[in-house]
Each structure stands twice: as structure tokens, then as C-alpha cells.
Amino acid sequence: MLRLVGAEALTVVVVGGLLGALVAGLDLAGMWSALGLLSVWTPVEVPWTALGAALGACAALAVVSAVVPAGLALRRGAVELAGARE
């Protein structure tokens, strides 16, 4: 059960990272072409190390933030969590 929670957290981070990279790429392409219209040709440099570190930190934080509460919730019975008494 906790593996599924961790996998879901990682899936959210990966999808968010891909969508963020897509939006940033489109933005950089627009700025690069606008600078080209002004005859300013410059290479687009992406800081892959910083992006990887940020994505790794987000993944670690997401997994811990999802698995720890789920693990604590699974330690108790469903009736106890619902507040019902037998």
C-alpha cells in the first residue's frame, strides 16, 4: 500500500516536471526568436544540474510527505479513524 502512495507521489512530480519543462521551453523559444528578430543570436543554455537537483528535492519531499502520513494512518484501525465506537 505504501509503495503505491510513493509511486503516486513520484508520478505527480514527474508529470509536473515535464509540464514545467514544456512551458519553460516554449517561453525560451519565444524569447530566442524575439531576440533573433533584433539580430541578437545567443545560445539557449539550460542549467541541467540545477534542474535535476530541484526535481530530486521535490521528489524526495513529495514521497516523504505522502508516505509518512499514509503509514501513520495505516497503523490504526478504520473504525478508530472514523471515530466510531464498538
Side-chain angles (χ1 to χ4, degrees):
M1 182 68 171
L2 292 179
R3 286 184 188 174
L4 179 64
V5 172
E8 287 177 355
L10 284 177
T11 302
V12 168
V13 171
V14 169
V15 169
L18 290 175
L19 289 175
L22 177 68
V23 169
L26 289 173
D27 186 44
L28 285 173
M31 284 193 287
W32 183 76
S33 64
L35 285 172
L37 291 175
L38 297 172
S39 298
V40 179
W41 297 104
T42 180
V44 176
E45 294 185 19
V46 181
W48 293 110
T49 306
L51 287 176
L55 194 61
C58 288
L61 191 62
V63 169
V64 169
S65 297
V67 171
V68 170
L72 292 175
L74 288 174
R75 294 178 78 190
R76 296 184 180 172
V79 174
E80 187 180 333
L81 288 174
R85 306 237 187 239
E86 291 183 14

